[in-house]
Amino acid sequence: MTTIQLRRYLLVDGEYDAFLSWWNEWMPRVRAELGFAIEFAYGIREQNRFVWAVSAPGDVEAFRALEQAYLASTARAAAFDGVPQRIAEYDIAFVDDVAA
């Protein structure tokens, strides 16, 4: 079993390119180091939006436990050190695989 979390962001005006640069530098490496896999990541420049999905083995509770370890990690702290807030709105939810 794998649990997938869909993460949709509205970015702060003028921060689209800086956010993508930062995200590509840090998130694939930091998330993988802590047991996650990035399923996909897409930007929608015209709407100043970024959408991505991250997964982890196990159920939602296992994902949440892994996420708590990620949030407390020194790797995540380093990724966010000195980075300005570039996300104006978050929409984060677990999703179901409904493909036949």
Side-chain angles (χ1 to χ4, degrees):
M1 165 181 243
T2 298
T3 297
I4 298 174
Q5 185 183 67
L6 181 65
R7 305 178 66 88
R8 298 181 292 176
Y9 304 156
L10 174 63
L11 303 177
V12 171
D13 285 341
E15 293 292 333
Y16 185 86
D17 290 325
F19 175 84
L20 290 183
S21 178
W22 170 84
W23 191 92
N24 280 307
E25 177 183 351
W26 289 97
M27 285 303 100
R29 179 171 41 87
V30 172
R31 286 286 187 156
E33 286 173 3
L34 290 155
F36 294 95
I38 294 175
E39 298 292 323
F40 64 81
Y42 294 100
I44 309 168
R45 183 177 296 278
E46 296 78 24
Q47 297 178 6
N48 212 33
R49 295 192 181 272
F50 184 75
V51 179
W52 64 297
V54 61
S55 66
D59 61 12
V60 170
E61 291 310 311
F63 187 103
R64 287 186 174 133
L66 194 59
E67 189 165 47
Q68 288 304 311
Y70 160 74
L71 292 172
S73 73
T74 57
R76 183 187 182 277
F80 283 87
D81 185 39
V83 177
Q85 180 59 267
R86 293 187 172 128
I87 301 172
E89 294 177 23
Y90 298 81
D91 182 11
I92 301 169
F94 291 107
V95 296
D96 299 319
D97 184 356
V98 297

